Amino acid sequence: MKFIVFSDNHGKLGGMERVIRSHPECAAYIHLGDSEGALQALRQNHPQLQFWAVRGNCDFGSEEPAEQTQQVEGHTLFFTHGHHYGAKFSTDHLWDKARQLGADVVLFGHSHTPCQEYREGVYLLNPGSIAHPKEGPPTYGVLDVRESGVLFSVAEVRG
């Protein structure tokens, strides 16, 4: 199953709209927080699509959960914004949480920097920022989850 992973757009909608148009075949679009209202606009603009989301440290008043788990093709995905786990400095607390939950895929944002790490059976994946990257162009993640394994790539926003 293919998923698009967004994070940290901070109210900007354009990049996410372009990515959705270029990847219409996804099982779901996962937003890792700091949407600041743009997620609701995406849901209104694309009612036929499935969105999974968590709130970030800038999503004041959001009704999205702080973290979620989903079972996909025999894998357990855990996703969170990352600010409660010190994601700007280390992936250690995220890895510990994954081990506690029995998750083998962790999706997180907050740092505005892409990350692809594999540690003792756990994938730790950050798509970077779709609107305000710490360095370089805006990015998002493409996640392919199959019973046989997990593939993740970071892509630049085009257009």
Side-chain angles (χ1 to χ4, degrees):
M1 298 179 87
K2 181 178 174 183
F3 302 89
I4 295 299
V5 185
F6 302 119
S7 191
D8 296 284
N9 61 290
H10 293 280
K12 295 192 176 190
L13 195 58
M16 292 188 301
E17 287 285 7
R18 286 192 296 279
V19 171
I20 288 170
R21 281 194 300 274
S22 50
H23 296 279
E25 72 290 352
C26 294
Y29 300 82
I30 303 171
H31 198 294
L32 301 174
D34 284 357
S35 167
E36 297 174 50
L39 181 61
Q40 283 64 36
L42 284 179
R43 285 179 168 142
Q44 287 177 341
N45 295 348
H46 305 280
Q48 76 284 8
L49 301 179
Q50 183 168 7
F51 292 91
W52 297 342
V54 293
R55 70 177 175 268
N57 60 301
C58 293
D59 291 323
F60 306 108
S62 172
E63 294 182 13
E64 300 297 336
E67 40 192 59
Q68 264 197 67
T69 58
Q70 294 283 343
Q71 299 296 319
V72 177
E73 299 284 330
H75 297 274
T76 301
L77 282 61
F78 165 65
F79 46 104
T80 185
H81 184 61
H83 60 295
H84 292 298
Y85 295 92
K88 282 189 179 180
F89 309 105
S90 168
T91 57
D92 291 347
H93 296 297
L94 288 162
W95 182 78
D96 288 340
K97 181 68 173 186
R99 301 290 291 196
Q100 176 188 355
L101 294 171
D104 59 333
V105 178
V106 177
L107 302 172
F108 66 100
H110 188 57
S111 68
H112 294 228
T113 303
C115 170
Q116 297 179 69
E117 181 181 341
Y118 183 77
R119 189 188 324 171
E120 296 181 36
V122 177
Y123 295 92
L124 297 143
L125 308 169
N126 183 329
S129 173
I130 189 87
H132 297 286
K134 193 169 187 177
E135 292 181 7
T139 55
Y140 64 97
V142 180
L143 176 65
D144 190 4
V145 180
R146 298 173 189 227
E147 194 172 321
S148 59
V150 174
L151 293 173
F152 182 78
S153 60
V154 174
E156 294 180 8
V157 178
R158 302 278 182 209

